[in-house]
Amino acid sequence: MSTDDITNDLTRNTENAPQELLTRTFFFLCAALSIVTTVSIILLLVTEAAKFFTVTAPLMGVEGPTASVVDFLTGTTWQINNQEFGVLALVSATLMITIGSAVVALPLGVATAIYLSEYADPRHRAFLKPALEVLAGIPTVVYGFFALIYITPAIQTVLPETGTFNLISASLVVGIMIIPMVASISEDAMSAVPDELRQAGYGMGATKFDVSTGIVVPAALSGIFSSFILALSRAIGETMAVTVAAGSRAQFLNPLNPAAYQEGALPMTAAMVQLLLGDITGGGLAYRSLFAIGLTLFVITLVMNIISDFVAQRYREEY
């Protein structure tokens, strides 16, 4: 009897046991719960956002003012009282914070991962990696007040024209927040690179730096890129830190203009918080705009995660 036959017999004999059935049912329910939760959130966003738009609101039985899909997606003015809902004013602020945080987190995160994977001895790694991941456990509102009280005054000493609420401070603090994600995932990807590749590089006379940057990083590139996308998705969805640090003035800014980062703006997540805390009527146009913003944010994050999965599968090295 072959090994496969023995394995099949053992599996067949135990899969119908009461304990096995209970265990399988428990794990199935856990998996099903996550799927049901995700589908419920998507249905909530889609159905409530549909009530916001002119083309779908009548079909949902909504009476009262609605907004145009074109105006929402292409408008650059966001004013609740004047009933202007141009989401680009919010998207531009979110995009600028994402770009600024990427400038901070991506190089620092990769450099940290290279040190932990290639240079740090086991004793230092056992201390440094948990200490780095502690940053991810700090409440985000604390990061926001840290940016407002410490980072912004430091920026104002160099750039006096910078406002109290500005995108530079928000970008820096969000960048600090996502460094652990970039470093941890990238370090895991680098540690998975076989030592044979490193030894081959040393055998060719390469230095430690050459092996780290020329062999290990390219071999772990799919995992590193995935960490970038996941970290930037985290930056896009950050709420409390940017709510405190970035300000509450909705305005359309040019992400390619460095001077624009000195101004305050209203990201999408902060706009949702502002709407919830404001005096809005449940079921009104302003209230329904919450779900339109949420759906836009969901689509952006979903697209980024799809890109991450594609890159990880397309360029993954098999060892």
Side-chain angles (χ1 to χ4, degrees):
M1 181 178 291
S2 65
T3 304
D4 293 337
D5 293 335
I6 296 174
T7 302
N8 292 333
D9 289 340
L10 292 174
T11 303
R12 192 179 304 111
N13 292 332
T14 59
E15 65 182 2
N16 293 324
Q19 184 177 1
E20 181 70 17
L21 289 175
L22 181 62
T23 303
R24 291 175 59 186
T25 302
F26 172 75
F27 288 123
F28 172 77
L29 291 176
C30 290
L33 178 62
S34 62
I35 296 174
V36 170
T37 303
T38 303
V39 173
S40 300
I41 292 174
I42 295 173
L43 289 177
L44 173 66
L45 290 175
V46 172
T47 54
E48 293 296 328
K51 299 176 183 179
F52 176 75
F53 297 112
T54 302
V55 293
T56 54
L59 300 177
M60 306 295 293
V62 175
E63 298 181 357
T66 55
S68 168
V69 177
V70 176
D71 292 341
F72 178 76
L73 296 177
T74 61
T76 58
T77 302
W78 182 272
Q79 292 181 348
I80 301 300
N81 293 332
N82 294 335
Q83 302 292 285
E84 293 188 68
F85 298 95
V87 77
L88 289 183
L90 311 180
V91 172
S92 65
T94 300
L95 180 61
M96 293 174 71
I97 291 176
T98 304
I99 293 174
S101 63
V103 172
V104 174
L106 302 191
L108 289 179
V110 173
T112 302
I114 292 175
Y115 173 76
L116 292 175
S117 175
E118 305 302 314
Y119 288 91
D121 58 58
R123 182 167 55 88
H124 290 162
R125 187 185 299 112
F127 168 76
L128 291 175
K129 191 170 183 179
L132 178 68
E133 292 174 348
V134 166
L135 289 174
I138 299 176
T140 57
V141 67
V142 176
Y143 278 106
F145 284 110
F146 176 78
L148 189 64
I149 296 173
Y150 294 103
I151 296 180
T152 296
I155 294 173
Q156 290 174 335
T157 59
V158 181
L159 302 171
E161 62 276 13
T162 303
T164 302
F165 302 101
N166 60 86
L167 295 177
I168 300 179
S169 180
S171 300
L172 287 174
V173 76
V174 173
I176 295 172
M177 288 175 54
I178 63 176
I179 285 177
M181 182 177 293
V182 177
S184 180
I185 299 176
S186 297
E187 194 269 336
D188 291 339
M190 294 178 191
S191 298
V193 176
D195 287 335
E196 287 80 0
L197 294 180
R198 298 178 175 85
Q199 299 303 324
Y202 294 137
M204 296 295 292
T207 64
K208 186 78 168 179
F209 179 80
D210 293 333
V211 170
S212 300
T213 58
I215 296 177
V216 176
V217 170
L221 195 59
S222 63
I224 295 173
F225 188 83
S226 296
S227 75
F228 291 173
I229 299 297
L230 293 175
L232 294 181
S233 298
R234 173 73 175 82
I236 290 174
E238 173 50 40
T239 304
M240 292 310 301
V242 298
T243 300
V244 175
S248 59
R249 179 187 176 191
Q251 57 176 332
F252 179 76
L253 299 173
N254 181 8
L256 301 180
N257 180 15
Y261 287 81
Q262 298 177 244
E263 302 183 38
L266 187 66
M268 287 188 286
T269 51
M272 297 177 70
V273 173
Q274 187 182 80
L275 284 168
L276 285 172
L277 297 179
D279 186 16
I280 60 175
T281 303
L285 187 60
Y287 173 79
R288 296 196 296 270
S289 69
L290 277 169
F291 299 95
I293 299 172
L295 182 61
T296 304
L297 192 61
F298 172 79
V299 171
I300 294 174
T301 306
L302 178 63
V303 170
M304 295 187 66
N305 288 333
I306 291 174
I307 294 174
S308 173
D309 291 340
F310 170 77
V311 172
Q313 294 179 9
R314 175 66 177 80
Y315 297 102
R316 178 177 293 138
E317 296 287 348
E318 299 288 346
Y319 300 111

